[in-house]
Amino acid sequence: MAAFFRWLRRNVIVIAGLLTLAYLLLPNIVVTVFSFNKPKGRFNYSWQEFSLDAWQDPCGVADMCGSLSLSLQIATWATIGATVLGTMIAFALVRYRFRARGAINSLIFLPMAMPEVVMAASLLTLFLNMGAQLGFWTVLIAHIMFCLSFVVTAVKARVMSMDPRLEQAAQDLYAGPVQTFLRVTLPIAAPGIAAGALLAFALSFDDFIITNFNAGSTVTFPMFVWGSAQRGTPVQINVIGTAMFLVAVLLVLSGMLIGKRRNKRSR
């Protein structure tokens, strides 16, 4: 018994981490399991029997794949817009000194701290006062605006940790500003930019509150899921959720493998 308690004390942090990870992954496991269910009624809440019908016909529910495609388009364009603008803002805040720099640094965190319903209502008021037609473009603009802060924060942290002597060394070797940026600065900042882009994509694809306020007649995938839950929950929703989770896991594992290979080459 004493040996067991010694082992427990040595591994308590690892055990706590594994239990926390299991708790976080439990909803994903439930979604995956019920993607193979064949419910008897409209609601996919209790296990009935194993079936591959939903996997064989993931677009069997009307308008579901259309809303999924729309969400992917919005998330992609929002990620591109927020990443480009956020990267430029992050470099400007770290590398340059100008008036209102401190105020801008503070305001960058405002969308992250503000409740989504407040931002959603504010954006809706803005669009209505401008006479804008609610739809794809208003949703895209709203997503870029609230994703921007997360990209700036991720890229800014990376840029602040960069060693300026590397860029100075490139300039001493007669590299021009563009060449220095493309060959030295951008590769070093790339992990932060990639992290901000992935975060922006996940936030945009998953958003419901801001989208619901500013979508008009446009229906994204989260809105479709919410609407379906009022009438019934098709198994295909679990299929799409499982597929998105697996894609995310594969991307993370691929990034880890690429990072390990680069570290081995650098040694």
Side-chain angles (χ1 to χ4, degrees):
M1 184 63 69
F4 171 76
F5 282 110
R6 286 196 300 269
W7 176 86
L8 188 62
R9 283 197 299 268
R10 288 196 304 268
N11 298 278
V12 62
I13 296 178
V14 176
I15 294 172
L18 291 175
L19 289 175
T20 303
L21 183 62
Y23 175 75
L24 292 174
L25 291 178
L26 184 59
N28 301 92
I29 296 173
V30 172
V31 168
T32 301
V33 170
F34 276 84
S35 69
F36 297 98
N37 188 28
K38 188 175 183 179
K40 295 181 179 179
R42 296 181 300 169
F43 296 95
N44 186 26
Y45 295 156
S46 60
W47 181 263
Q48 299 297 329
E49 62 176 295
F50 179 86
S51 175
L52 293 174
D53 293 345
W55 282 93
Q56 293 173 353
D57 188 17
C59 295
V61 180
D63 298 327
M64 189 182 73
C65 283
S67 64
L68 175 64
S69 175
L70 182 62
S71 286
L72 290 174
Q73 292 178 45
I74 292 174
T76 300
W77 287 111
T79 300
I80 294 172
T83 302
V84 172
L85 293 174
T87 300
M88 292 191 292
I89 293 172
F91 271 96
L93 291 174
V94 174
R95 296 294 180 85
Y96 299 96
R97 300 291 181 268
F98 51 89
R99 289 184 179 181
R101 178 173 173 269
I104 293 175
N105 267 317
S106 300
L107 289 173
I108 285 297
F109 291 96
L110 192 59
M112 301 171 64
M114 183 185 300
E116 278 196 67
V117 67
V118 176
M119 182 181 292
S122 301
L123 288 169
L124 176 61
T125 303
L126 174 65
F127 291 138
L128 292 178
N129 287 333
M130 293 175 60
Q133 181 70 34
L134 298 181
F136 177 89
W137 292 107
T138 55
V139 173
L140 178 59
I141 293 171
H143 282 208
I144 292 175
M145 290 183 67
F146 79 78
C147 288
L148 192 61
S149 297
F150 295 91
V151 176
V152 172
T153 303
V155 178
K156 184 182 172 185
R158 181 65 178 178
V159 175
M160 290 178 66
S161 66
M162 291 171 57
D163 189 351
R165 291 175 297 181
L166 296 174
E167 296 170 296
Q168 295 171 3
Q171 294 170 1
D172 291 340
L173 295 173
Y174 304 103
V178 176
Q179 193 174 14
T180 301
F181 178 79
L182 293 177
R183 292 181 176 271
V184 179
T185 308
L186 189 59
I188 296 175
I193 297 173
L198 290 174
L199 185 59
F201 184 89
L203 290 169
S204 175
F205 181 84
D206 186 58
D207 182 76
F208 172 77
I209 297 176
I210 295 176
T211 304
N212 191 41
F213 270 71
N214 299 280
S217 59
T218 302
V219 179
T220 61
F221 186 67
M223 294 175 65
F224 178 86
V225 173
W226 179 82
S228 298
Q230 313 305 311
R231 306 181 301 271
T233 50
V235 184
Q236 283 82 354
I237 290 177
N238 296 64
V239 172
I240 298 299
T242 303
M244 296 295 294
F245 173 71
L246 293 177
V247 169
V249 170
L250 289 175
L251 287 175
V252 172
L253 293 178
S254 300
M256 292 175 61
L257 291 175
I258 293 172
K260 287 183 179 180
R261 288 182 180 180
R262 287 182 176 177
N263 290 333
K264 289 181 180 179
R265 291 177 182 177
S266 62
R267 292 175 184 175

